[in-house]
Amino acid sequence: MTITDVGTAAGVSAATVSRVLNGTARVDPELARRVHSAVAELGYRPNAAAQGLARGEAGAIGVLVPDLSNPYFPNVLKSVSAVARRHGRRVMVMESDEDAASEYELAEDLMRCCDGVLLCSPRMDRTALVELTLRGHPVVLINRIVPGLSIPSVSADFYGGMTLVCGHLTQLGHRRVAYLSGPEASWANAERIRAFEAAAAFGIDVTVIPCGHTARHGYDAADAVRDRGVSAVVAYNDLVAFGAMAALEESGLRIPEDLSVIGCDDISVDDLPSSRRLTTASMARDELGRQAARRLESLMAADGDTEPRSLPMELRVRLTSAPPAASSG
């Protein structure tokens, strides 16, 4: 089915069909009505890329993520794609593989072929972000707030989420806690640590253990956890928690009887029983992607604000957190 077929059915030229569908020029209302009627009758679906070119646009938005293997991001990307489709756009996704040094170049590539760009959990430093904003290209940050920089952002309230975790541990009676830290360049990781530093007010002593963002990283960090004499472990994300739990239980420790474990992100992995029993800080990742994509659409329409927006997190108390063993108190 082509616009020529639509034009024949509507009794107008293909050029008139194009003008009606792209909105690039004023068309007599009666002709426009006939075109839309023919489109509906024939089931014609316009080519989004072709429409974008007619408007001087690429008809696509770009999304840069640090790690496509992380189950955190599919829900975000799915919502972004849904918003983009409603606006006649496609989504192009690139991955930095947790390499902050490559993000700037990848973002530039997306800017060349996309109308707007979402930087999801970007690791690049402030200077690089400033340089990107100076290009005047629509950019929205996901899970990154840069004070003083006029760039829209939508982020989870990781500080608030970890404050809930600290309050939960305090109520259970924990005082010595280990935090398995995430990527050093991660803003979200820094927000978690900031919350733990404030947790001294709860009477909690948190030891930060360098770790990473994968289940393997969590598994390998288990020895360091056992050596610290803590009664609870908070992991950078659920993947790290899964890995740490596997290693700790292999060593003979019982969770949560001997050691409580808490994750972050509320990732459900159907073939891992641990994902169904893990206490974790949760947020609606689909809403995160939806709000970020909407902000980008507003920005591309030149009517978006630049105030950062923060989405609340909730604590999902399940089966891996309990009062500390008597010997750990």
Side-chain angles (χ1 to χ4, degrees), residues 105-118:
E105 182 178 349
L106 292 173
E108 282 188 313
D109 289 342
L110 288 173
M111 286 179 174
R112 293 187 187 100
C113 57
C114 298
D115 302 314
V117 175
L118 291 172

Side-chain angles (χ1 to χ4, degrees), residues 270-288:
D270 292 338
D271 57 352
L272 283 179
S274 55
S275 71
R276 296 188 290 273
R277 64 185 179 104
L278 179 66
T279 295
T280 185
S282 172
M283 73 151 297
R285 294 187 298 280
D286 55 346
E287 183 63 18
L288 182 71

Side-chain angles (χ1 to χ4, degrees), residues 64 66 72-73 103 119-123 141-144 188:
L64 179 61
Y72 180 91
F73 295 110
E103 284 188 336
L119 299 179
C120 196
S121 302
R123 311 307 195 199
L141 304 182
I142 298 178
N143 285 344
R144 176 78 180 270

Side-chain angles (χ1 to χ4, degrees), residues 14-103:
T16 297
V17 175
S18 177
R19 286 194 294 270
V20 170
L21 297 181
N22 294 324
T24 55
R26 293 181 62 86
V27 178
D28 180 88
E30 174 58 22
L31 294 182
R33 185 196 65 77
R34 283 157 52 185
V35 168
H36 288 302
S37 177
V39 166
E41 182 179 345
L42 297 174
Y44 173 71
R45 296 183 62 186
N47 183 295
Q51 285 186 304
L53 289 173
R55 296 190 300 266
E57 301 175 351
I61 63 172
V63 185
L64 179 61
V65 300
D67 181 11
L68 282 172
S69 67
N70 187 333
Y72 180 91
F73 295 110
N75 289 115
V76 176
L77 292 173
K78 186 174 182 179
S79 293
V80 168
S81 181
V83 173
R85 284 198 307 273
R86 285 196 292 272
H87 288 82
R89 303 184 198 275
R90 297 294 183 261
V91 178
M92 178 178 294
V93 180
M94 286 189 175
E95 176 195 39
S96 67
D97 196 24
E98 290 288 354
D99 179 12
S102 70
E103 284 188 336

